[in-house]
Amino acid sequence: SIRRASRRAMNPLAAKYVSRSRANCRAQTPNRQPDRPGVPSKGMCGRYVSTKSSADLLDEFDAEYSTDRVREAAYEPDFNVAPTTTIRLIVNRPLRTPKADQPDGSAASAGSRDPDRRESSAVLARQLRLAYWGLVPSWAKDRSIGAKLINARAESLADKPAFRKGFAKRRCLIPAAGWYEWQRTSDSVGKPLKQPFYVTSTDQRSLALAGLYEFWKPKDAGPETELLLSATIITVAAQGQLAELHERM
């Protein structure tokens, strides 16, 4: 479903109340595309909506919590999920083995840079995890590169160094109620405008956005430093009605 957003709902707070009063996810929008340094404004997807509780996502995706820390994490519906914030994703990995006497569920052998060695369970489990939106490759000098890697083009996943490893072995789903897109248009006198649209399902089921994830920590980090889990959203060439809004989807 593609809905044209009302200009009266351009404020993110207004969008929250509009969404609660309309059935089938009518259009809402933030006031603009992300303008943080390093975040490409032309990229899709640059903002999306995440409203379901973690428990509802577990039921919908037949998943479980990865750790008690994820289970206990407070979550508020977010109608304006932005890059470089914490997001939820579904991965298919062995469950993390907790440290002895560590009730927070921290992974064993935290000093290892290979998370596949840290997660020693033989059984794969579909699980809900929390991640930083903006992929930080394991070879990155610092996490700031993630702001430039919020999206990944499907056509070049196998070739780009930043995405090659994730494409081979670290794929995920990112649940979303919908996402925002801006169509370049003009007013009656030819002044350029960006018309916001909200793209969502018509049956209120979550959209499963394809993604990649990676693990990272600083090269000089101590053995007890927890790995950063980060993710990116994969995009493809737009098709059908979506091609009228943006070249990517």
Side-chain angles (χ1 to χ4, degrees):
S1 173
I2 306 173
R3 303 286 181 175
R4 184 169 179 159
S6 167
R7 291 287 172 179
R8 291 176 296 178
M10 292 294 282
N11 184 283
L13 293 178
K16 288 188 177 183
Y17 297 102
V18 170
S19 71
R20 290 172 181 168
S21 63
R22 298 183 181 182
N24 297 325
C25 298
R26 297 296 195 269
Q28 308 93 37
T29 182
N31 57 357
R32 59 184 175 180
Q33 282 274 41
D35 56 1
R36 300 178 186 178
V39 178
S41 61
K42 293 176 63 179
M44 176 278 142
C45 163
R47 295 288 174 103
Y48 72 91
V49 174
S50 180
T51 55
K52 292 187 177 180
S53 69
S54 293
D56 286 341
L57 292 181
L58 295 186
D59 289 339
E60 190 171 18
F61 288 89
D62 190 23
E64 57 189 299
Y65 293 108
S66 59
T67 64
D68 288 340
R69 185 164 49 188
V70 175
R71 183 195 305 273
E72 296 165 2
Y75 179 76
E76 292 291 333
D78 194 340
F79 293 81
N80 194 12
V81 181
T84 72
T85 59
T86 299
I87 61 174
R88 297 174 296 175
L89 46 121
I90 304 294
V91 301
N92 196 36
R93 293 184 63 85
L95 286 171
R96 301 175 69 177
T97 304
K99 279 185 183 179
D101 303 321
Q102 288 292 326
D104 64 353
S106 299
S109 304
S112 172
R113 291 187 177 275
D114 186 351
D116 296 311
R117 293 180 182 176
R118 293 171 56 188
E119 297 168 342
S120 58
S121 171
V123 180
L124 293 177
R126 186 180 300 174
Q127 54 193 271
L128 179 72
R129 291 199 178 190
L130 303 179
Y132 173 86
W133 183 11
L135 195 78
V136 183
S138 58
W139 45 259
K141 293 182 179 179
D142 59 65
R143 62 187 290 172
S144 63
I145 191 175
K148 300 178 182 180
L149 300 176
I150 64 170
N151 291 152
R153 298 174 70 93
E155 300 87 341
S156 57
L157 294 178
D159 302 321
K160 298 290 185 181
F163 306 127
R164 195 159 47 210
K165 187 175 182 180
F167 177 60
K169 59 189 300 186
R170 293 186 180 136
R171 305 179 188 185
C172 64
L173 298 177
I174 299 169
W179 80 84
Y180 300 112
E181 200 50 83
W182 282 256
Q183 182 185 49
R184 296 181 183 276
T185 182
S186 58
D187 61 15
S188 58
V189 297
K191 181 180 178 181
L193 293 174
K194 286 185 177 181
Q195 172 62 50
F197 286 82
Y198 180 51
V199 183
T200 185
S201 64
T202 56
D203 57 10
Q204 299 188 11
R205 290 188 297 178
S206 294
L207 302 176
L209 306 180
L212 305 176
Y213 65 97
E214 268 293 359
F215 296 95
W216 175 88
K217 72 174 180 178
K219 298 297 184 184
D220 58 352
E224 298 303 313
T225 301
E226 192 71 13
L227 291 171
L228 172 71
L229 176 61
S230 64
T232 187
I233 295 175
I234 298 172
T235 70
V236 297
Q239 301 176 20
Q241 285 183 292
L242 289 175
E244 300 175 12
L245 303 182
H246 197 277
E247 66 271 18
R248 307 294 296 177
M249 69 177 194

